[in-house]
């Protein structure tokens, strides 16, 4: 059946798979010391235009968020996220499992508004009981957001500036980083990120890999102490680190990561146009590979006979916000089939 | 200076102190096995009209909340509270410190609305990703709330009924329980509580004791296994348990706990009338010992020269929500002095 | 260089890789619902001769141990392990990170002696302060142990019997399970295990997979509640679960897992003989794929020029306990080369 | 019945109680800001001969250990203790509850031997897998130890010197500090401590108070950040901090704390002599208020009819190690009665 459910329902990109095949018979060091992990780190440094980065490969978004947040925060510190943030809702309490509160601010189409952040700190600073509350230590953003929206260069710069002035770590969750950076609406590249936050990650699972996320600490002198042991303590250390090393080595060879992310964006534009022509109301305007439309429930049932997509949430008693996702693997044929179904 | 800042800025009630004095020279068993703890438990059972209770004495509200919540929940479970709940804001992340997420619902003058709870569970049940979210295991209410408001008999019955149908523990934080039960607006007594929740606590710190909260499990066969060890693990086990035992023994002799709570309510009525006559707008209508009024900032400054009270939060740029609190110890003289100051 | 350092320095077994290739272009469900995960579970049930199992695929030994232990224990419970157990030393505190103490008993060549366990419980039962100690909730064994040794059928039966009588969960860490089961010294098969513990895992990382461990709950009616959410909370849920599903599907097709484990055992026998002929003293007698010999430090340095192996620990000032490991991938050529080097 | 069971089975010292009575009617600030807490801190600084201390009052030994250790360690760090240390056995897993492993070294009559510590670090430094183990961040000593023994000045200096060279925090648990310092075998005073560790606590519960331990950070510039919030997060913040403030104010007035500790030591000397004359074998030689003797089980049963004491553990099948404890409250009459019973 036609499937627009997620960007992680395919196998690996052929070039990623090919690299796994070609390297399979070579013995290697383990726990991150294999040659391919080293190469991949080098290539990421090049594309980020900095040698001052410290890079680690982990396996899955929740694991990465939990490990990085726990590593950057002191035991008693909390992380600030919008209420639609992945860590706030869809990680089954993984952040709290390490003892850290997630403080939530209102989501604006998935984004954090710096005015809300300022207001939070104004109230915090003026709260006579602030020492009785969880102490904020980090701001967590997703790029693109869980709703497919993007921060502008200026928005990130401003938030980072605020973070620095308050000694907060700025962490950017890039589970779909490629899809954000390749959007026409994005006004910066990956090199910008390394100068405008403390740590971010480059999602591989949703962009061509079988698994793997590359954590990038933007200043290698500020990597949390004992981060290797912290990874291990979080059960996030792969013995056969070649698995992630080889995949990221392939993804960052010849711009593959960005090229295949671009495919999802191109297909999403067509998808958007089809959904529009089909007369669906958009829940919000997403410039990336996730599109959210409000569909009457009867129509949902009918459509589900031919296409797989996600019920995001009940918009009201009569209609549902549904998500359609393209990916690096979405083909023109799939788009054309959807067009036929929706615009017949 | 005249002090309406809190209900815990006095020493112990004279009869509590007297019992400490009278028992001081007697040697005792420790860790909860002293004779006074046993007597106090017996007296609480009597006032609750049940022999089926299991009672423990702890020391302070945050400690009690953290210990009870952690004991009742499985590692991965979350607790539901209104966003003004003590555990949600003023416990410095103590609940998350044990790994439990606090899921927040909107506060209605400090209270949880069962409709919000139903809506939450409607969304939860219909969420395709619900297994990716923290699993709710408990509902947490405060009685009276942090804003001095009260649940009615029916409201608690309804919420408890919902909890039972979903196998959620209902826990009622009674840091100021006496003040709630003694309010004219309260339509039930303490015996009602033991039938309408799974566990509650009777706050001593704010009602005549130097320290101490009595945790009451409403069905002794359902006390969390190894609760004694859990108390110890939370650093909440007093070696000299006589300290809390003796105090609760005094508080539950001859109805002392309720009688002195009544004083706070009587004085609060006068306080309320004075604040009204002084022309202050009430932030909300509280029938208990905490009163919240909106005061222009200039007036706040002027008043502070003669009275201590709490800045609750900035209402707007020009005025502040201020809290005035009466207690078991508030004297007629203090009320009269405040009247003089405000209504001169 | 000749490498006997570990059993996870190779890629995937060719048949595992081939299955990844063949399935790569098929879209799939995610988070464990993919068809290959389903098939693999079915095949594992067959080899275990039971339909009453509940099986999950995780990624790495520490992650699996931390997730399973946390899921099976109540918040306040501890796990009992020998002091050489992986969870006791080499998991960077991952078990404690979830709040659980690891209680250690002395290791007997890596094994737990039931007499020590009985003695522990005798002391525990007779300890007037036992409620002040961490409450044991699980016994953790490794099979084979970290030192390559094996429990007999009877030893496991006896320990399990003791566990059941005390309501302790018995968890067997099978990071190298295949190598244990294929040893000539092993007097049971995998089907025996499912009747003689509560949960065990089948290690894939060290036996032909790129990653992956199969957790087997031996009675599906006793799987910890919400185990799926617990996996997520531990950051252990693969979005593209096909990665582990496909690999275990291949490993449990045509007995592959056991056949390739057998190779490691066969090669280990040759290795053992070579080490013996070379005149090295064995640290202990291991019937599996890890061999430990005491080598004079000068000889260690000399050997290291030609072979990679592990320094286990300093035996004394003059010699080192060294580990040589064979694996599913060890070739006759590698053995012959080592023979040449050691017995020239 | 004659009671030598513990040093916390009495009420408060009369002068402590008197101070509670005298201050009872005075209103106060809360959460540590009350005047008596301030005075008590000042007096402790004087006796320690330093103004550079940072002092906090908590409530109970386990609570204090858990809070201080969690505050001083990073999330992933472990604390080193002897295997008889209170945190290692008798805190129901409170240290692990905050995520920290307790690494144990062998006890030498309750004491840590610096040679064991050096050996541990030698092995750690030479362990190729050290990054896979819990990272030591603190050394925990008790003074006197759980077995009543004492470290010499030189022993503490040497351990502290080792700690500083490895950037480990040295924390000394002084649950019975007064009894250690007043022993004739102690070759230093409390002022020495503040120069020879990073943080220690002065136990009040066992020395004249109803509850209360004074945590002393030896360099106020190195108090863990946000320690106030950390106390709150651990449920260890007393609202009515006057309770501990008043008690420590009394204890540190006119040398009361040390004078009453001295009584326990004087009585212990008589106790020791009686036990010796009664022909009991000592389990070890304790120069403080806890005495451990090996008593045949029949004799234990007989004695228990007249005296309460503690069964420490079964020495062998025929005899038990029993603990007799004196305290600040032990009277000459009690000693004389015991003499009559044992030496009749």
């Amino acid at each position: 059946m036609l499937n627009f459910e997620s960007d992680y329902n395919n196998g690996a990109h052929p070039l990623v798979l090919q690299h796994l095949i070609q390297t399979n018979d070579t013995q290697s060091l383990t726990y991150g010391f294999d040659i391919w992990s080293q190469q991949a780190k080098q290539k990421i440094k090049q594309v980020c235009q900095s040698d001052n980065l410290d890079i680690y490969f982990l396996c899955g978004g929740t694991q990465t968020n939990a490990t990085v947040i726990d590593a950057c925060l002191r035991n008693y510190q909390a992380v600030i996220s919008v209420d639609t943030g992945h860590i706030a809702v869809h990680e089954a309490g993984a952040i709290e499992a390490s003892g850290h509160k997630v403080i939530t601010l209102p989501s604006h189409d998935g984004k954090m508004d710096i005015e809300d952040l300022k207001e939070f700190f104004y109230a915090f600073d003026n709260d006579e009981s602030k020492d009785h509350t969880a102490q904020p230590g980090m701001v967590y953003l997703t790029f693109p957001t869980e709703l497919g929206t993007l921060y502008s260069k200026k928005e990130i710069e401003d938030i980072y500036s605020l973070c620095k002035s308050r000694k907060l770590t700025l962490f950017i969750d890039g589970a779909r980083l490629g899809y954000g950076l390749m959007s026409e609406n994005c006004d910066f590249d990956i090199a910008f990120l390394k100068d405008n936050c403390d740590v971010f990650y480059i999602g591989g699972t949703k962009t061509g890999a079988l698994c793997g996320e590359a954590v990038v600490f933007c200043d290698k002198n500020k990597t949390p102490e004992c981060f290797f042991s912290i990874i291990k303590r979080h059960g996030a250390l792969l013995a056969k680190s070649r698995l992630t090393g080889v995949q990221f080595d392939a993804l960052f060879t010849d711009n593959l990561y960005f090229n295949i992310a671009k495919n999802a964006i191109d297909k999403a534009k067509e998808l958007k146009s089809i959904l529009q022509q089909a007369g669906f109301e958009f829940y919000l305007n997403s410039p990336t590979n996730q599109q959210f439309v409000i569909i009457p429930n009867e129509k949902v049932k009918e459509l589900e006979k031919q296409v797989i997509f996600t019920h995001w949430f009940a918009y009201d008693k009569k209609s549902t916000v549904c998500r359609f996702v393209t990916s690096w693997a979405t083909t023109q044929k799939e788009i054309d089939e959807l067009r036929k179904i929706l615009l017949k």
Side-chain angles (χ1 to χ4, degrees), chain A:
Chain A
M1 190 145 67
L2 199 54
N3 191 328
F4 286 89
E5 193 189 19
S6 78
D7 34 18
Y8 44 93
N9 51 14
N10 283 278
H13 185 279
L15 290 173
V16 170
L17 189 66
Q18 190 186 316
H19 202 33
L20 281 169
I21 296 167
Q22 285 168 342
T23 58
N24 192 60
D25 290 340
T26 310
Q27 282 191 324
S28 69
L29 294 179
T30 54
Y31 297 120
F33 298 99
D34 61 281
I35 185 72
W36 307 287
S37 293
Q38 302 312 313
Q39 284 172 198
K41 289 177 189 183
Q42 214 45 49
K43 288 172 184 172
I44 291 173
K45 286 178 187 177
Q46 273 163 16
V47 76
C48 288
Q49 300 167 28
S50 167
D51 214 46
N52 190 35
L53 310 178
D54 203 7
I55 301 171
Y56 297 83
F57 299 113
L58 275 71
C59 217
T62 296
Q63 178 180 99
T64 302
N65 286 335
T67 306
V68 169
I69 291 171
D70 191 36
C72 292
L73 293 184
R74 296 299 308 250
N75 319 18
Y76 58 88
Q77 289 182 317
V79 52
I80 302 174
S81 164
V82 290
D83 55 23
T84 52
H86 203 256
I87 60 167
V89 274
H90 282 124
E91 304 199 343
I95 306 308
E96 292 85 358
S98 299
H100 305 289
K101 190 182 190 71
V102 180
I103 297 169
T104 51
L105 298 182
S107 152
H108 300 270
D109 287 351
K111 291 167 61 180
M112 185 181 293
D113 187 325
I114 194 169
E115 293 309 318
D116 292 333
L117 199 56
K118 285 180 182 169
E119 201 177 289
F120 169 82
F121 279 111
Y122 177 81
F124 182 81
D125 291 340
N126 288 285
D127 182 357
E128 292 179 355
S129 299
K130 67 167 167 282
D131 292 342
H132 294 243
T133 72
Q135 303 298 301
M138 175 187 268
V139 170
Y140 164 91
L141 305 179
T142 42
F143 184 86
T145 69
E146 292 74 8
L147 293 169
T149 51
L150 297 177
Y151 291 91
S152 70
K153 191 170 170 168
K154 180 157 189 334
E155 286 170 334
I156 290 185
E157 283 170 346
D158 288 350
I159 291 176
Y160 190 42
S161 172
L162 177 60
C163 286
K164 281 188 290 190
S165 76
R166 295 198 69 99
K167 295 191 182 172
L168 300 164
T169 300
L170 177 59
F171 170 38
I172 298 179
D173 174 338
R176 293 188 169 92
L177 186 63
Y179 300 137
L181 292 173
M182 287 302 99
S183 166
E184 288 174 3
N185 287 39
C186 182
D187 58 358
F188 58 81
D189 61 11
I190 197 170
F192 165 83
L193 273 190
K194 69 116 183 8
D195 294 321
N196 286 282
C197 69
D198 298 295
V199 51
F200 66 99
Y201 82 82
I202 305 168
T205 301
K206 286 164 179 160
T207 317
L210 284 164
C211 69
E213 329 296 322
V215 175
V216 181
F217 288 102
C218 300
D219 179 346
K220 68 184 175 194
N221 300 308
K222 293 184 182 161
T223 300
E225 276 185 55
C226 297
F227 189 63
F228 182 94
S229 298
I230 293 170
I231 295 174
K232 179 76 183 170
R233 183 174 177 264
H234 273 267
L237 188 67
L238 279 182
K240 287 185 170 176
S241 52
R242 59 192 297 150
L243 172 58
T244 42
V246 165
Q247 292 187 92
F248 271 95
D249 190 27
L251 284 172
F252 280 82
T253 298
D254 297 336
N255 222 31
L256 181 63
Y257 183 76
F258 300 103
N259 291 344
I260 66 178
K262 181 72 166 43
N263 176 68
I265 296 301
D266 292 343
K267 296 298 184 294
K269 278 169 72 178
E270 289 198 56
L271 166 66
K272 204 168 172 176
S273 152
I274 293 166
L275 294 168
Q276 215 153 13
Q277 290 171 56
F280 294 138
E281 189 185 343
F282 281 79
Y283 175 63
L284 53 67
N285 183 17
S286 157
T288 62
N289 71 319
Q290 300 183 84
Q291 296 297 324
F292 299 84
V293 281
I294 305 164
I295 311 185
N297 292 341
E298 289 155 42
K299 183 71 185 166
V300 168
K301 278 191 188 160
E302 193 194 312
L303 255 184
E304 284 181 329
K305 292 174 190 158
Q306 293 172 283
V307 193
I308 306 177
F309 53 90
T310 308
H311 299 194
W312 205 246
F313 63 90
Y315 184 72
D316 55 29
K317 303 243 153 157
K318 291 184 183 163
S319 53
T320 301
V321 173
C322 297
R323 186 185 72 164
F324 290 76
V325 187
T326 61
S327 82
W328 61 273
T330 305
T331 61
Q332 189 61 44
K333 187 161 161 263
E334 289 168 319
I335 291 290
D336 292 342
E337 274 184 49
L338 185 69
R339 182 179 289 115
K340 250 184 261 168
I341 291 168
L342 282 173
L343 306 181
K344 63 195 162 189

